């Protein structure tokens, strides 16, 4: 069902410091920060040859990553995103298998303008999974 690893999202308490680490220490290509107010995050994209990382920092009052950073004060991996061909079909298969889909189960438009769903981390060995229709 799942295809390419689209991105790994890392919640960070200090976006500037994290950008510098990936750009200067690790030598990756790093974007300027991009505010995504509808998603409650400011994001820095780190382009790698085979995938990308998204450094996430809370934006606004109801950021979905605020609670995560409150629990993980030093930052940490927040989710992984895998591509699927047909998100409705993927959702139906996952639900039939007993997986919990977050947020009511209907795909919504994600940070890249494509339909996404999030899957409960307890059903995936402690990792929040995002699937995106590529
Ligand atoms: Co994501």
């Amino acid at each position: 069902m799942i295809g390419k690893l689209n991105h790994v999202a890392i919640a960070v308490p200090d976006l500037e410091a994290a950008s510098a680490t990936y750009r200067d220490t690790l030598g990756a290509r790093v974007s300027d920060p991009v505010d995504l107010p509808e998603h409650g995050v400011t994001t820095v994209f780190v382009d790698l040859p085979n995938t990308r990382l998204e450094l996430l920092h809370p934006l606004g009052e109801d950021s979905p990553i605020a609670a995560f950073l409150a629990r993980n004060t030093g930052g940490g991996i927040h989710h992984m995103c895998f591509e699927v061909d047909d998100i409705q079909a993927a959702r139906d298969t996952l639900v039939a298998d007993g997986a919990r889909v977050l947020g009511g189960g209907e795909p919504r438009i994600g940070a890249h303008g494509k339909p996404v769903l999030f899957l409960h981390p307890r059903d995936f060995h402690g990792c929040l999974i995002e699937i995106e229709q590529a």
Side-chain angles (χ1 to χ4, degrees), residues 87-88 91 101 103-110 114-117 133:
I87 200 162
Q88 303 277 3
R91 190 264 321 268
V101 177
E106 283 310 310
R108 58 185 212 114
I109 298 303
K114 296 180 175 168
V116 303
L117 283 172
Q133 186 163 293

Side-chain angles (χ1 to χ4, degrees), residues 26-71:
L26 294 173
R29 193 144 46 92
V30 171
S31 79
D32 288 330
V34 179
D35 287 342
L36 300 171
E38 66 277 23
H39 295 285
V41 293
T42 302
T43 301
V44 166
F45 298 96
V46 180
D47 279 321
L48 302 175
N50 62 339
T51 190
R52 69 185 149 181
L53 310 179
E54 296 180 3
L55 309 178
L56 305 177
H57 189 73
L59 175 68
E61 296 294 306
D62 299 317
S63 175
I65 62 165
F68 179 91
L69 275 176
R71 287 194 308 273

Side-chain angles (χ1 to χ4, degrees), residues 6-9 54 56 79-81 111-112 116 118 130 132:
N6 185 279
H7 61 271
V8 176
E54 296 180 3
L56 305 177
H79 66 267
M80 297 190 296
C81 177
H112 313 120
V116 303
F118 285 90
E130 179 180 21
E132 177 177 296

